[in-house]
């Protein structure tokens, strides 16, 4: 029997002195390390080992910490139609982000993602495809665009704008996200719209929005400037490596304490524990209880930051102010003034917390499955003064935390942050650590008034695209750069519905005649079926490979000039350095061509800079406001992209201001900077208020509320408790959760599917199980197992809430809106104590065996987000995998080794 094997190359060329140097940034995690691309024609000589013979200017073999090139950092690409060598290496001259040229293993492999038909990227989409006779056939751009535009227009005219769904990424590049949202929200004006990580167009962290915290207010330096850092729902080492190694590890070595909320102990968590970190290994979904109990201990001891609270917390009148007497019909308005969450300041919150039995530390500890002493210890580490001096505490959260009881968890953590004085001060910040880079720029606003969904009262909620499709209302699904099915909850049930609406519909295309194709697809939409078009760089299964009627090939990183920001709002130009494969085009071009064919104006862009310059005015006042870069560029006779290119790999942090006196652009280190000096404001040209086209919003020196103060919110357990009680593992069930490992980026489209080493390391889906749970079931590392459940609760229809508890889980069950589906996925078992006893932990998205099949398709009743990290599953051995007795693939060594 043979398994995957990987034999690495042992040499790579050095760039010659005449190599072109192009700046870019990593395309993967939120950190966005700076990189340089060295490019030279393949027919010319490469560099030599002497310093005078190579672009690095050093002798090889190089000394430690000097420049070097790994074979994985080399590739051959097409540039201007001719083959060129490229070397892509971290920028060793950088003084920010990846200082001195550090990188994660994902970033270190960037050169391998670039199209080269001799590598695993050979299956890039290179021309438009139309499904004819069940097979995707290559066609010209005009042919595919004409069909998509005419059928899309027909669906809108015949069935209404909400029949046209757009499911797209939220994070990619500013030029693309602006064009897509302008098309979908401003021109089609559909409410049937959502981003890749949620079924509705809603905020991912409602508690942060309602308190007044920006998700990405902190700078990277802030994560290492605290006395105590709380890390919730993530391991920064596994998911955003350089943030951990460059900013957090040095601080931990200097004595920064850490408190970690996570059911799982991974490499970074093990490191923090070794250096005195407190690991609260709680059961999935119990975070709200633990946070509430920590808050109670802090308040019972009088450890709250009274000075900060007195100055920066709203009372009830201040929370209500500025709204007038009309309907508070935006989510953040009704949430912050609804009695279920609103407080009259700190004392009112304290009274409420102490009245909640579930925040008693003993009860919270029991529900969380932890030692109650950890709750008291966390409170001390975060808030107890030492010799009369309060500890500086910061709090960072990620998806494991906010995708399990979304509203209440984010409300709770915002309140904890405020009570301990974390806001916008150095070493005292609160925010997201981040997942994707921040490339979103809205070109339109969701027409929420057109959504058929409503919470009790006059509270219109964003349309749930999964439920709307499941109910049969979506007739045209336009899917852009996302694995819609696998990335949503209850994914096997969702895939079955796609099959019913698309594949099993009798109206299938068998003609090469364009008009016949159009007529057939119109008939499918009219019959209650669905037409699917897909834009992507690879043909993903099943959304593209099985269901798409039309596939558009997209151009991506390195193939077009693009703009994007990282997790500290640092804007960079990701420069083009090679030709896109075949006829692939950027997403902004594709939707522009569709828009013009559908009769929409304002899409006559000639290049990506045109899109960026149009988008700039819509960024004004936002966290990554880049409008003034365009203003400065035009004053200097340059384009926006040309000006941003001058900032190289270091970029500039948004929001960006232009000082009309000094003629300089000035970035912003952190938001909510309550200690910003007059000198800093003067440097930005804001000493006497905003000049020219600068926009000064309160988020710069205060918080995102009507008054600029924080809204201290309640976080009631009873909105979630009935669902949590129903979901509790029964009989032989275990908690089921999922997440990432360092080697795999998101759906694995670059690594698991196309990189030989990662394919060898993770050749199949996997699941971690605690030794005690494994022993009871006769499971060993390397066994093939099946995870299965007949309790996958799925919200099956679109409803209009009337009564106050209509969206309460128990009411949904009682009223017949929930169906219990079955789901099963197979995996290779990894027996490890890194995973909490009583819980399974699997890969976030294995495209072949999606773990989200086992998580419930029931949204948070307030926010509309899924609880991606929560499910239950049984598990049984079905045999031994081929990896159990050979050691070429699948390391079963624990990851929590320091």
């Amino acid at each position: 029997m043979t398994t995957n094997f990987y034999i690495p190359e042992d040499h790579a060329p050095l760039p010659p002195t005449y190599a072109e140097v192009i700046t870019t940034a990593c395309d993967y995690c939120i950190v966005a390390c700076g990189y340089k691309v060295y490019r030279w024609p393949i027919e010319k000589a490469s560099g030599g080992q002497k310093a005078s013979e190579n672009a690095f200017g050093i002798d090889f073999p190089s000394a430690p910490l000097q420049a070097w090139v790994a074979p994985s950092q080399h590739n051959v690409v097409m540039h201007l139609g001719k083959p060129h060598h490229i070397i892509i290496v971290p920028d060793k001259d950088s003084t920010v982000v990846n200082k001195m040229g550090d990188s994660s293993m994902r970033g270190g492999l960037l050169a391998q993602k670039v199209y080269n038909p001799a590598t695993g990227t050979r299956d890039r989409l290179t021309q438009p495809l139309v499904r004819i006779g069940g097979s995707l056939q290559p066609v010209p751009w005009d042919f595919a665009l004409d069909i998509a535009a005419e059928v899309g227009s027909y669906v809108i005219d015949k069935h209404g704008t909400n029949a046209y769904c757009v499911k797209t990424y939220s994070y990619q590049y500013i030029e693309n996200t602006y064009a897509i949202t302008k098309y979908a929200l401003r021109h089609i004006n559909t409410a049937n719209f959502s981003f890749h990580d949620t079924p509705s167009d809603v905020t991912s962290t409602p508690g942060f929005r309602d308190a007044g915290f920006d998700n990405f207010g902190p700078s990277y330096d802030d994560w290492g400037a605290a006395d105590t850092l709380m890390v919730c729902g993530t391991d920064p080492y596994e998911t955003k490596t350089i943030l951990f190694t460059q900013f957090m590890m040095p601080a931990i070595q200097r004595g920064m304490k850490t408190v970690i909320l996570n059911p799982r102990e991974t490499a970074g968590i093990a490191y923090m524990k070794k250096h005195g970190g407190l690991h609260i290994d709680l059961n999935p979904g119990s975070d709200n209880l633990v946070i509430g109990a920590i808050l109670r201990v802090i308040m019972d001891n009088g450890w709250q930051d009274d000075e900060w609270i007195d100055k920066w917390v709203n009372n009830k009148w201040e929370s209500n102010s500025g709204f007038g007497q009309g309907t508070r019909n935006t989510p953040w308005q009704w949430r912050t003034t609804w009695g279920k969450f609103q407080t009259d300041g700190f004392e009112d919150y304290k009274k409420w917390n102490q009245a909640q039995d579930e925040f008693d530390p003993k009860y919270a500890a029991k529900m969380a499955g932890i030692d109650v002493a950890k709750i008291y210890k966390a409170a001390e580490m975060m808030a107890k003064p030492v010799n009369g001096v309060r500890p500086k505490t910061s709090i960072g959260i990620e998806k494991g935390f906010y995708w399990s009881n979304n509203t209440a968890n984010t409300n709770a953590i915002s309140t904890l942050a405020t009570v301990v004085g974390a806001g916008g001060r150095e070493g005292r910040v609160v925010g997201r650590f981040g997942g994707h880079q921040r490339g979103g720029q809205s070109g339109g606003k969701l027409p929420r008034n057109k959504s058929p969904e409503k919470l009790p009262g006059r509270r219109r909620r964003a349309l749930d695209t999964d439920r709307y499709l499941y109910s049969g209302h979506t007739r045209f699904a336009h899917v852009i750069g996302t694995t819609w099915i696998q990335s949503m909850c209850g994914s096997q049930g969702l895939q079955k519905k796609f099959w019913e609406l698309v594949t099993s519909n009798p109206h299938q295309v068998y003609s090469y005649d364009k008009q016949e194709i159009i007529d057939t697809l119109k008939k499918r939409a009219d019959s209650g079926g669905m037409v699917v078009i897909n834009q992507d760089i690879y043909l993903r299964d099943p959304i593209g490979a099985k269901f798409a009627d039309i596939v558009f090939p997209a151009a991506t990183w390195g193939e077009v000039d693009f703009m994007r920001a990282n997790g500290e709002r640092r804007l960079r130009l990701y420069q083009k350095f090679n030709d896109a494969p075949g006829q692939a085009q950027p997403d902004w071009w594709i939707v522009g061509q569709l828009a013009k064919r559908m009769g929409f104006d304002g899409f006559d862009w000639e290049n990506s800079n045109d899109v960026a310059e149009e988008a700039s005015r819509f960024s004004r006042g936002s966290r990554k406001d880049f409008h003034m870069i365009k203003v400065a560029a035009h004053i200097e006779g340059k384009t926006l992209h040309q000006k941003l290119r001058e900032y190289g790999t270091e970029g500039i942090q948004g929001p960006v201001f232009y000082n009309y006196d000094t003629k300089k652009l000035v970035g912003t280190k952190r938001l909510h900077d309550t200690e910003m000096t007059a000198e800093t404001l003067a440097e930005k040209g804001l000493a006497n208020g905003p000049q020219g086209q600068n926009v000064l919003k309160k988020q710069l020196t205060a918080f995102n509320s009507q008054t600029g103060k924080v809204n201290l919110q309640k976080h009631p357990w009873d909105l979630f408790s009935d669902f949590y009680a129903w979901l509790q593992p029964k009989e032989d069930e275990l908690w089921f959760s999922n997440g990432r490992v360092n080697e795999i980026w998101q759906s694995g489209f670059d690594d698991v599917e196309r990189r030989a080493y990662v394919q060898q390391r993770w050749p199949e889906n996997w699941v971690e199980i605690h030794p005690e749970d494994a022993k009871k079931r006769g499971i060993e590392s390397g066994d093939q197992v099946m995870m299965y459940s007949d309790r996958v609760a799925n919200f099956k229809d679109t409803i209009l809430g009337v009564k106050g508890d209509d969206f309460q889980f128990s009411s949904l069950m009682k009223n017949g809106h929930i169906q219990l589906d079955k789901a099963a996925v197979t995996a290779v078992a990894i027996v490890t104590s890194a995973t909490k006893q009583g819980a399974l932990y699997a890969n976030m998205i294995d495209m072949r065996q999606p773990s989200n099949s086992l998580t419930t398709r029931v949204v948070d009743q307030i926010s509309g987000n899924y609880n991606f990290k929560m499910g239950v599953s049984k598990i049984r051995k079905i045999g031994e995998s081929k990896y159990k007795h050979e050691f070429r693939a699948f390391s079963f060594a624990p990851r929590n080794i320091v």
Side-chain angles (χ1 to χ4, degrees):
M1 179 186 294
T2 184
T3 56
N4 290 345
F5 61 90
Y6 167 64
I7 302 173
E9 298 177 48
D10 59 4
H11 67 281
L14 291 172
T17 55
Y18 56 82
E20 296 175 87
V21 182
I22 302 126
T23 59
T24 186
C26 181
D27 192 44
Y28 296 121
C29 86
I30 186 76
V31 183
C33 298
Y35 279 77
K36 287 183 177 177
V37 180
Y38 294 83
R39 182 179 66 198
W40 70 100
I42 197 168
E43 69 269 14
K44 292 189 177 181
S46 297
Q49 292 188 336
K50 294 181 180 179
S52 60
E53 298 173 341
N54 64 71
F56 299 131
I58 63 171
D59 291 321
F60 282 82
S62 59
L65 301 183
Q66 284 189 316
W68 63 288
V69 177
S72 58
Q73 294 172 323
H74 167 254
N75 209 333
V76 175
V77 302
M78 296 297 285
H79 169 59
L80 300 178
K82 295 182 179 181
H84 283 64
H85 289 290
I86 57 165
I87 296 291
I88 304 180
V89 291
D91 181 7
K92 290 194 172 294
D93 299 322
S94 180
T95 60
V96 299
V97 189
N98 56 326
K99 305 170 187 176
M100 298 177 65
D102 201 356
S103 79
S104 69
M105 74 159 289
R106 299 177 301 279
L109 297 171
L110 275 169
Q112 301 304 300
K113 78 180 272 97
V114 183
Y115 176 69
N116 178 340
T119 70
T121 63
R122 65 180 62 88
D123 61 335
R124 274 285 300 272
L125 289 167
T126 59
Q127 61 190 100
L129 306 170
V130 172
R131 193 175 300 277
I132 303 172
S135 299
L136 288 167
Q137 308 286 344
V139 298
W141 268 110
D142 286 342
F143 188 87
L145 287 165
D146 288 346
I147 296 169
E150 185 164 341
V151 176
S153 295
Y154 175 83
V155 166
I156 293 168
D157 293 341
K158 180 81 178 287
H159 301 284
T161 55
N162 284 357
Y164 191 116
C165 173
V166 177
K167 181 76 173 180
T168 182
Y169 47 65
S170 67
Y171 55 85
Q172 212 237 15
Y173 294 100
I174 285 168
E175 294 82 356
N176 286 337
T177 57
Y178 172 77
I180 292 166
T181 51
K182 176 182 177 179
Y183 169 73
L185 302 178
R186 200 190 318 171
H187 288 269
I188 295 176
N189 200 228
T190 179
N192 194 356
F193 175 93
S194 66
F195 291 119
H196 66 284
D197 59 348
T198 180
S200 304
D201 184 14
V202 293
T203 177
S204 60
T205 53
F208 275 9
R209 173 64 189 89
D210 297 350
F213 298 136
D214 190 285
N215 279 340
F216 298 102
S219 73
Y220 286 169
D221 287 335
D222 283 320
W223 297 122
D227 298 321
T228 300
L229 174 65
M230 178 179 247
V231 178
C232 301
T234 186
D235 175 358
Y237 172 74
E238 294 274 13
T239 58
K240 44 202 73 68
T241 307
I242 300 305
L243 183 64
F244 185 79
T245 59
Q246 291 260 332
F247 298 91
M248 294 171 63
M249 276 180 63
I252 292 168
Q253 291 165 356
R254 291 193 300 267
M256 183 175 74
K257 301 174 183 177
T258 52
V259 178
I260 313 105
L261 264 66
N262 201 311
R264 186 167 171 252
E265 181 184 311
T266 47
I269 294 173
Y271 181 88
M272 289 185 268
K273 284 179 66 176
K274 182 179 179 181
H275 290 80
L278 174 65
H279 181 202
I280 302 178
D281 53 337
L282 72 181
N283 288 327
S286 62
D287 313 72
N288 183 20
L289 298 172
V290 172
I291 298 296
I294 291 172
L295 273 158
R296 181 173 294 186
V297 173
I298 290 171
M299 294 185 297
D300 284 350
N301 285 280
W303 294 337
Q304 68 272 4
D305 191 337
D306 288 321
E307 183 180 355
W308 177 261
I309 291 167
D310 289 344
K311 185 174 182 180
W312 287 106
V313 171
N314 278 324
N315 60 34
K316 189 173 183 179
W317 181 87
E318 289 170 318
S319 291
N320 288 336
S321 67
F323 285 146
Q325 301 302 312
T327 301
R328 292 164 189 184
N329 197 31
T330 61
W332 69 272
Q333 285 181 325
W334 70 256
R335 289 194 304 255
T336 55
T337 58
W338 186 33
K340 197 72 175 175
F341 301 129
Q342 187 182 28
T343 69
D344 190 17
F346 174 74
E347 290 300 330
D348 185 45
Y349 170 79
K350 180 179 178 181
K351 181 180 178 181
W352 174 83
N353 180 295
Q354 292 175 335
Q356 310 306 306
D357 294 339
E358 59 268 21
F359 296 147
D360 176 88
K362 290 182 180 178
Y363 178 84
K366 180 181 178 181
M367 291 293 288
I370 60 172
D371 182 349
V372 69
K374 291 186 176 184
I375 290 174
Y376 289 93
K377 181 65 174 176
E380 287 187 16
M381 293 171 68
M382 298 179 72
K384 184 180 180 180
V386 178
N387 298 323
V389 179
R390 295 189 55 79
K392 292 193 298 183
T393 296
S394 289
I395 300 175
I397 69 169
E398 250 321 297
K399 296 178 178 64
F401 180 82
Y402 67 73
W403 275 345
S404 48
N405 195 0
N406 182 242
T407 298
N409 279 2
T410 53
N411 270 354
I413 206 70
S414 299
T415 297
L416 176 60
T418 304
V419 167
V420 300
R425 299 176 287 179
E426 182 181 18
R428 299 178 185 181
V429 296
V430 57
R432 278 185 57 191
F433 288 121
H436 288 288
Q437 294 171 38
R438 313 315 298 173
Q441 178 53 60
S442 182
K445 187 176 181 181
L446 181 80
R448 198 159 35 81
N449 61 308
K450 295 170 72 172
S451 169
E453 299 191 37
K454 184 176 71 68
L455 290 169
R458 290 173 289 177
R459 298 164 183 155
R460 189 70 59 177
R461 67 185 295 164
L463 184 150
D464 185 311
T465 52
D466 286 1
R467 283 212 307 276
Y468 206 67
L469 182 147
Y470 209 89
S471 301
H473 301 306
T474 296
R475 307 298 176 92
F476 193 100
H478 189 165
V479 187
I480 306 173
T482 182
T483 54
W484 183 353
I485 293 169
Q486 290 97 327
S487 64
M488 294 290 101
C489 289
S491 50
Q492 287 178 345
L494 190 61
Q495 180 169 338
K496 181 183 177 184
K497 183 58 67 173
F498 264 83
W499 180 84
E500 291 173 1
L501 295 172
V502 181
T503 310
S504 68
N505 186 279
H507 300 287
Q508 301 296 322
V509 172
Y510 289 97
S511 170
Y512 284 81
D513 180 81
K514 182 164 65 174
Q515 191 57 51
E516 285 190 44
I517 295 172
I518 291 170
D519 291 343
T520 300
L521 296 179
K522 287 179 179 179
K523 289 176 183 176
R524 188 193 301 167
D526 288 343
S527 69
M530 185 170 67
V531 177
V532 179
I533 61 174
N534 184 212
Q535 293 171 214
D536 216 323
I537 62 173
Y538 292 107
L539 192 63
R540 309 312 303 279
D541 187 15
I543 194 72
K546 288 188 175 70
F547 298 130
D549 295 290
I550 301 172
V551 175
F552 294 130
T556 186
W557 182 84
E559 298 165 0
V560 186
D561 283 342
F562 286 126
M563 288 176 61
R564 187 160 61 182
N566 72 352
E568 59 174 356
R569 298 156 280 101
R570 190 174 296 277
L571 291 148
R572 267 84 64 90
L573 183 68
Y574 295 60
Q575 292 191 61
K576 174 179 179 177
F577 57 83
N578 70 295
D579 299 337
Q583 300 172 35
Q585 294 284 356
D587 289 315
W588 62 258
W589 183 91
I590 299 171
V591 299
Q593 293 297 313
L594 278 174
K596 288 191 286 187
R597 283 169 169 80
M598 293 170 74
F600 303 140
D601 57 7
F603 290 86
D604 296 318
W605 304 304
E606 293 185 5
N607 53 53
S608 58
N609 179 75
D610 288 350
V611 190
E613 293 205 354
E614 180 180 321
S616 74
R617 69 186 179 93
F618 293 90
S619 78
R620 299 180 76 195
S622 71
R623 73 165 70 103
K624 56 180 181 290
D625 184 342
F626 57 91
H627 182 67
M628 300 312 295
I629 304 177
K630 183 182 80 172
V631 171
H634 287 188
I635 289 173
E636 298 173 15
K638 302 169 185 174
T639 68
L640 168 56
H641 277 181
Q642 286 173 338
K643 185 63 181 174
L644 190 56
R645 182 179 292 116
E646 295 174 3
Y647 286 86
T649 64
E650 298 199 356
I652 185 168
Q653 286 175 276
V656 180
F657 299 91
Y658 182 67
N659 189 318
Y660 284 83
D661 297 323
T662 63
K663 309 299 182 188
K664 291 182 179 180
L665 290 167
V666 184
T668 302
K669 186 175 181 66
R670 74 178 59 84
L671 300 179
H672 314 312
D673 193 341
T674 60
E675 297 177 330
M676 186 175 288
T677 63
E679 290 78 12
T680 301
L681 287 169
E683 181 187 10
K684 296 177 185 291
L686 303 174
N688 300 305
Q691 296 178 316
Q693 296 187 53
N694 284 300
V695 173
L696 175 58
K697 294 190 74 174
K698 62 172 70 79
Q699 67 176 355
L700 190 67
T701 57
F703 300 94
N704 291 332
S705 72
Q706 307 86 290
T707 63
K709 296 181 181 181
V710 175
N711 290 318
L712 200 66
Q713 299 280 88
K714 302 172 189 173
H715 40 100
W717 176 244
D718 60 8
L719 290 173
F720 187 73
S721 58
D722 58 345
F723 172 70
Y724 197 68
W726 179 87
L727 194 62
Q728 289 285 320
K730 296 170 177 58
E731 300 173 349
D732 199 34
E733 291 178 334
L734 299 168
W735 282 113
F736 175 82
S737 194
N738 58 77
R740 286 185 49 200
V741 291
N742 204 320
E743 300 92 310
I744 302 174
W745 174 246
Q746 299 299 61
S747 65
F749 64 93
D750 273 340
D751 31 54
V752 171
E753 297 178 18
R754 291 175 179 84
R755 287 183 183 142
Y757 167 73
V758 184
Q759 287 175 337
Q760 175 176 292
R761 176 66 179 83
W762 299 105
E764 293 186 27
N765 195 16
W766 49 270
V767 60
E768 293 182 345
I769 181 171
H770 189 274
E772 292 300 318
D773 296 323
K775 184 178 179 181
K776 291 177 183 177
R777 294 161 178 81
I779 295 171
E780 299 176 341
S781 287
D783 284 342
Q784 201 85 35
V785 296
M786 178 175 288
M787 297 174 283
Y788 59 101
S789 176
D790 58 4
R791 285 207 304 136
V792 182
N794 287 327
F795 207 148
K796 66 183 183 182
D797 49 15
T798 297
I799 72 170
L800 191 69
V802 177
K803 296 181 180 179
D805 64 349
D806 276 351
F807 280 87
Q808 193 76 27
F809 180 75
S810 52
S811 296
L812 293 171
M813 288 283 284
K814 178 182 176 182
N815 295 328
H817 298 299
I818 301 294
Q819 68 182 33
L820 300 185
D821 287 347
K822 295 181 179 181
V825 296
T826 61
V828 176
I830 301 173
V831 179
T832 172
S833 60
T835 293
K836 183 177 177 65
Q837 186 172 354
L840 300 171
Y841 186 94
N843 185 19
M844 180 182 69
I845 300 180
D846 184 289
M847 294 291 288
R848 303 153 296 186
Q849 299 281 347
S851 61
N852 279 336
S853 300
L854 295 162
T855 55
T856 57
R857 197 168 66 245
V858 178
V859 296
D860 180 289
Q861 64 162 301
I862 303 301
S863 70
N865 281 312
Y866 281 144
N867 296 302
F868 284 105
K869 303 303 179 182
M870 295 183 61
V872 291
S873 175
K874 296 180 181 179
I875 184 171
R876 63 182 176 89
K877 176 179 176 178
I878 57 175
E880 291 186 347
S881 76
K882 58 188 177 183
Y883 312 104
K884 186 172 182 179
H885 300 294
E886 60 86 25
F887 303 100
R888 188 177 293 117
F890 250 130
S891 168
F892 298 112
R895 296 179 78 86
N896 56 340
I897 295 176
V898 179

